[in-house]
Amino acid sequence: MIRIYDGNSYCRVELETDVSGLAPRNFMQDIFACPDPVFVIWDAPKGSEKRREIFPPYKVGRKAPDTGIWNGFKLIQDALKHTKAVQITVPGYEADDTIAFLARRYATQAQTVAIYSNDKDFWQLVGEHPHNIICGANPIKGVLPKWTRLYKTWCGDSSDKIPGIPRFGETLWH
């Protein structure tokens, strides 16, 4: 199995919900104990710009992580340098673009890929490769994985500031 962590999404949730202060240590222990190849993918600076060229309101006004989260990311990135995990940041791209590329590449080679993220967009990949890709995010209720992209196009995606088709929503979808 290939394990791919969405560094920004996965680590942000871990850091924001951790009351013990042990999230970085626990993450490192998971990496050390994992027998599988591990990738941790991070957003590149200005990674959203290509999408904003197509759709200018994309993620506009989205609340940025506070300084503590950025410091947590830096701590985790520095610590991961001492593990077998491969960290990847592709200039000009968000982590999810790189994750999708890697997941598709390995899935077409009959590898099992586990994606660790809370991003529901990855369910589209499960729909494309249902026997090879596993996604840790909760699925969109009532939406088959293969219809994730269409659902978000028609109904919108509030986290990415995509409005969807006017007067079409979840009620009409179902």
Side-chain angles (χ1 to χ4, degrees):
M1 179 181 323
I2 309 291
R3 295 179 188 225
I4 303 176
Y5 288 85
D6 182 341
N8 296 76
S9 171
Y10 181 85
C11 293
R12 182 176 181 169
V13 170
E14 291 296 305
L15 291 166
E16 287 178 339
T17 60
D18 175 44
V19 294
S20 67
L22 299 175
R25 186 195 78 172
N26 294 340
F27 182 55
M28 298 306 296
Q29 286 179 329
D30 290 346
I31 299 296
F32 279 121
C34 179
D36 304 318
V38 175
F39 293 96
V40 181
I41 315 301
W42 301 95
D43 286 338
K46 300 182 181 182
S48 298
E49 285 188 4
K50 289 184 189 312
R51 292 182 184 186
R52 271 200 204 104
E53 288 172 10
I54 298 167
F55 185 69
Y58 179 72
K59 291 188 179 178
V60 170
R62 188 181 207 184
K63 184 180 178 267
D66 64 29
T67 305
I69 297 297
W70 288 116
N71 291 338
F73 287 174
K74 179 72 172 128
L75 173 71
I76 291 169
Q77 290 167 345
D78 289 346
L80 284 171
K81 291 176 185 174
H82 305 284
T83 72
K84 66 177 181 176
V86 176
Q87 297 186 79
I88 300 174
T89 303
V90 178
Y93 289 92
E94 291 184 354
D96 57 348
D97 299 318
T98 306
I99 292 167
F101 173 82
L102 289 171
R104 285 182 178 115
R105 171 69 59 95
Y106 284 110
T108 58
Q109 295 173 1
Q111 295 280 334
T112 300
V113 178
I115 300 172
Y116 293 78
S117 177
N118 67 341
D119 189 338
K120 295 177 186 322
D121 292 348
F122 291 123
W123 278 96
Q124 180 66 37
L125 297 172
V126 174
E128 293 172 21
H129 302 279
H131 303 293
N132 297 89
I133 296 180
I134 303 161
C135 180
N138 292 323
I140 301 169
K141 187 176 179 179
V143 179
L144 293 174
K146 68 181 181 179
W147 299 117
T148 301
R149 185 180 302 148
L150 184 64
Y151 173 85
K152 287 187 164 209
T153 301
W154 283 59
C155 296
D157 184 349
S158 60
S159 68
D160 289 340
K161 308 296 184 202
I162 297 172
I165 296 174
R167 297 192 316 210
F168 189 94
E170 289 185 34
T171 306
L172 286 175
W173 178 269
H174 299 288

